[in-house]
C-alpha cells in the first residue's frame, strides 16, 4: 500500500507528508514541480526515510505521472499541487490556469487511465482527494451565514476561479467516468513552513526585521483561520471515511479581521522577543493600497465534517498562533533560506505601488 501526494514540498502538502509519516508506515510518493513555493528543506527531517520517495515533476506531465502510478500502485492520490497566492494570480494569472486547471485536468486523465486498469477490488478502494479552498464560494456580507457545501460557486479572483474550475473537473470525472473522488474546501491555513508571501508569516518576519507590516485597505477583511495540522487531520479523516463524490468544508471556527490577526501577532512578539526600544511591534503597522477585488469575508460551516466523520480542530486561534510565532522565531535557518532573491523580487514588486 502507498499513497501519492502532489505538491508535497509546499506549505500544506509538506506538513501533510511529515504528519503522515510520523503517524503511519505507509509509503508516500511525493510529486512536486518545486516552483518558488516548493521547498525541500521542509522535508529535511525525513531525508533518507525509505517510506518517502520524492519526485520532481509537473502534475501535468502525463508520461511521468502515468509511469509513477503504474510502478507504485498507490491506493490514493491527494492533490495539493497548485499556484496558491491570490496577489500573484492578479499579477499574472497564466500560471494559475496552467497548473490549477490544465494541470488538474491532465492529472485526472493520468489517474483515470491508471484506475481503469486496476482490478475490481482496487478500483473500489481507490480514492482521488482534491484539496481546494473556501474562496470558490466568493465573499460574504458581515451577517451572512458561513459557507456550507451547498453554497453556489462565485469565485472572484483568478486564483479562486482557477480552483473552482479544478473542483468542477474533479466533480465531472466522478459523474462521467465514475472516478472515486473526494473534495475538501478549506479556509485560511497557518502554521510552520508557511511561505512568507502570505499574511501571517510575512507579518512575523517583517516585524522582527523592523520592516512595515502592510495591511491592505482598512484591514477589516475577515478570514477564518485553521492551524495547518488540523487541516492535515481533516484530510486524513476524509480520505479514510469520506463518501465518494462528496465535498467537505474544513474550517477553524476562528473568524478574525486581518487587523486583529496582525495585532495579536505583535502582542505575542512583544512578549517573546521585545523590541529593543521598548515599543510595541504594532508601531510598524502600515495601511497600504487594497488588493483589487478583495473578498470581504470568508467563513466556513464545518459541521458536516464533524457530524459525519468526527473531525474538529484541536487548536484554537490563540494556541495555534502562539505555536506559529514561536516556530518562526526558532527556525531562522528555514526562513533565511526561503527569503531568497526570487522572494525579495516578489515582495518588492507586490508592495512597490501599494504605499499610500
Ligand atoms: P503552496 O503554494 O505553499 O504549495 C504548492 C506546492 O505545489 C508547491 O510545493 C509547488 O512547488 C507545487 N506545485 C505548483 N505547481 C505544480 C505543478 N504544476 N506540478 C507539481 N507541483 C506543483 O500552497 P499551499 O498553501 O500548501 O496549498 C496547497 C493546496 O491547498 C492548494 O491546492 C491550495 O489551493 C489549497 N488550499 C490552501 C489554503 C491555504 O490557506 N494555504 C487553504 C485552502 C486550500
Ligand atoms: O481562504 C483560503 C485561502 O487562503 C487559500 O485558498 C489561499 O491559497 C491562501 O493564500 C489564502 O488566501 P488569502 O488571500 O486569504 O491569504 P493571504 O495570506 O494572501 O491574505 C490574508 C488576508 O490578509 C487577505 O485578506 C489579504 C490580507 N493581506 C495579505 C497580505 C499578503 C494584507 O492585508 N496584507 C498583506 O501584505
Amino acid at each position: 500500500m502507498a499513497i501519492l501526494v502532489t505538491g508535497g514540498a509546499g506549505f500544506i502538502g509538506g506538513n501533510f507528508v511529515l504528519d503522515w509519516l510520523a503517524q503511519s508506515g505507509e509509503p508516500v510518493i511525493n510529486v512536486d514541480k518545486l516552483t518558488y513555493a516548493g521547498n525541500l528543506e521542509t522535508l529535511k527531517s525525513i531525508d533518507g526515510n525509505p517510506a518517502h520517495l520524492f519526485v520532481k515533476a509537473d502534475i501535468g506531465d502525463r508520461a511521468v505521472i502515468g509511469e509513477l502510478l503504474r510502478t507504485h500502485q498507490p491506493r490514493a492520490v491527494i492533490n495539493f499541487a497548485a499556484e496558491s497566492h491570490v496577489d500573484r494570480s492578479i499579477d499574472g494569472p497564466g500560471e494559475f490556469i496552467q497548473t490549477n486547471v490544465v494541470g488538474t485536468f491532465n492529472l485526472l486523465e493520468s489517474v483515470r487511465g491508471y484506475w481503469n486498469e486496476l482490478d475490481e477490488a482496487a478500483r473500489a478502494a481507490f480514492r482521488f482527494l482534491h484539496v481546494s479552498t473556501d474562496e470558490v464560494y466568493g465573499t460574504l456580507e458581515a451577517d451572512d451565514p458561513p459557507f456550507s457545501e451547498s453554497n453556489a460557486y462565485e469565485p472572484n479572483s483568478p486564483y479562486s476561479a482557477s480552483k473552482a474550475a479544478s473542483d468542477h473537473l474533479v466533480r465531472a470525472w466522478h459523474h462521467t467516468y465514475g472516478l472515486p473522488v473526494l473534495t475538501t474546501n478549506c479556509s485560511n491555513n497557518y502554521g510552520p513552513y508557511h511561505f512568507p508571501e502570505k499574511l501571517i508569516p510575512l507579518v512575523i518576519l517583517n516585524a522582527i526585521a523592523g520592516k512595515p507590516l502592510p495591511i491592505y485597505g482598512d484591514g477589516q477583511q475577515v478570514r477564518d483561520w485553521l492551524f495547518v495540522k488540523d487541516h492535515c487531520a481533516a484530510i486524513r479523516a476524509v480520505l479514510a471515511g469520506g463518501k465518494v463524490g462528496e465535498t467537505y468544508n474544513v474550517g477553524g471556527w476562528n473568524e478574525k479581521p486581518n487587523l486583529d490577526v496582525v495585532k495579536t501577532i505583535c502582542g505575542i512578539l512583544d512578549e517573546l522577543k521585545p523590541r529593543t526600544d521598548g515599543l510595541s511591534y504594532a508601531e510598524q503597522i502600515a495601511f497600504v493600497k487594497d488588493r483589487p477585488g478583495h473578498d470581504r469575508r470568508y467563513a466556513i460551516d464545518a459541521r458536516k465534517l464533524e457530524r459525519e466523520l468526527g473531525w474538529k480542530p484541536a487548536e484554537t486561534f490563540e494556541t495555534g498562533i502562539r505555536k506559529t510565532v514561536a516556530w518562526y522565531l526558532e527556525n531562522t535557518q528555514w526562513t533565511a533560506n526561503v527569503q531568497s532573491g526570487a522572494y525579495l523580487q516578489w515582495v518588492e514588486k507586490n508592495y512597490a505601488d501599494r504605499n499610500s
Side-chain angles (χ1 to χ4, degrees):
M1 292 291 220
I3 62 166
L4 187 146
V5 162
T6 73
F11 165 47
I12 306 174
N15 274 285
F16 182 86
V17 168
L18 295 177
D19 287 1
W20 181 271
L21 291 175
Q23 295 181 13
S24 138
E26 187 175 359
V28 181
I29 299 107
N30 183 354
V31 179
D32 196 295
K33 186 180 172 184
L34 295 180
T35 67
Y36 79 91
N39 186 354
L40 285 179
E41 223 178 307
T42 298
L43 305 168
K44 215 165 150 188
S45 64
I46 51 171
D47 251 4
N49 183 334
H52 179 237
L53 173 68
F54 181 80
V55 182
K56 183 178 185 309
D58 192 313
I59 55 166
D61 188 335
R62 286 204 211 175
V64 171
I65 303 292
E67 179 66 23
L68 281 171
L69 291 167
R70 278 186 291 277
T71 304
H72 298 284
Q73 301 275 306
R75 67 173 177 94
V77 170
I78 307 177
N79 184 30
F80 292 95
E83 290 293 333
S84 69
H85 188 35
V86 174
D87 292 316
R88 284 187 193 254
S89 82
I90 295 166
D91 187 53
E95 276 302 310
F96 288 72
I97 304 304
Q98 201 49 47
T99 283
N100 301 359
V101 186
V102 182
T104 303
F105 158 68
N106 281 313
L107 180 65
L108 281 165
E109 280 298 82
S110 303
V111 170
R112 184 165 75 93
Y114 161 70
W115 177 72
N116 274 332
E117 291 164 9
L118 294 174
D119 64 37
E120 208 180 319
R123 273 166 65 89
F126 183 81
R127 297 288 181 269
F128 179 90
L129 193 156
H130 180 61
V131 179
S132 193
T133 172
D134 60 355
E135 299 200 12
V136 298
Y137 297 120
T139 187
L140 293 168
E141 299 294 334
D143 51 0
D144 283 340
F147 300 128
S148 79
E149 289 79 1
S150 58
N151 268 67
Y153 272 35
E154 291 178 353
N156 290 320
S157 72
Y159 163 69
S160 55
S162 69
K163 289 297 289 186
S166 69
D167 292 11
H168 291 326
L169 292 173
V170 170
R171 176 189 160 89
W173 261 239
H174 171 62
H175 281 265
T176 304
Y177 304 113
L179 191 70
V181 306
L182 299 156
T183 299
T184 54
N185 294 91
C186 188
S187 58
N188 284 59
N189 283 218
Y190 67 99
Y193 305 112
H194 203 181
F195 193 76
E197 64 187 350
K198 309 281 169 65
L199 179 71
I200 286 182
L202 180 98
V203 161
I204 298 169
L205 296 183
N206 274 16
I208 54 184
K211 295 180 181 164
L213 311 180
I215 308 275
Y216 294 169
D218 64 2
Q220 293 308 310
Q221 304 83 6
V222 171
R223 297 290 181 267
D224 169 62
W225 293 97
L226 180 69
F227 193 61
V228 64
K229 287 179 184 303
D230 280 326
H231 187 189
C232 295
I235 291 169
R236 292 194 300 273
V238 173
L239 181 66
K243 221 168 124 198
V244 166
E246 297 269 315
T247 67
Y248 294 87
N249 281 358
V250 188
W253 303 105
N254 282 311
E255 278 186 63
K256 309 268 177 213
N258 292 336
L259 190 55
D260 288 12
V261 169
V262 173
K263 285 183 175 166
T264 301
I265 293 170
C266 291
I268 297 171
L269 282 172
D270 289 341
E271 201 186 300
L272 299 183
K273 194 179 167 60
R275 267 172 49 153
T276 47
D277 61 6
L279 296 174
S280 169
Y281 287 97
E283 297 289 326
Q284 290 164 232
I285 288 174
F287 289 88
V288 299
K289 198 163 117 194
D290 208 351
R291 174 185 280 174
H294 199 170
D295 284 338
R296 196 68 182 165
R297 173 177 168 239
Y298 305 140
I300 277 278
D301 179 344
R303 281 178 298 178
K304 176 178 174 185
L305 190 49
E306 182 172 353
R307 195 174 57 243
E308 296 187 8
L309 299 175
W311 174 89
K312 48 182 182 181
E315 301 286 347
T316 62
F317 185 69
E318 288 64 34
T319 59
I321 194 68
R322 189 164 275 277
K323 285 183 185 174
T324 303
V325 173
W327 188 89
Y328 278 91
L329 292 179
E330 281 156 20
N331 289 272
T332 47
Q333 192 60 53
W334 186 91
T335 53
N337 292 348
V338 141
Q339 291 173 295
S340 68
Y343 168 77
L344 291 177
Q345 276 163 22
W346 162 254
V347 167
E348 206 170 295
K349 184 163 195 235
N350 189 38
Y351 296 98
D353 62 349
R354 281 190 192 274
N355 297 323
S356 56

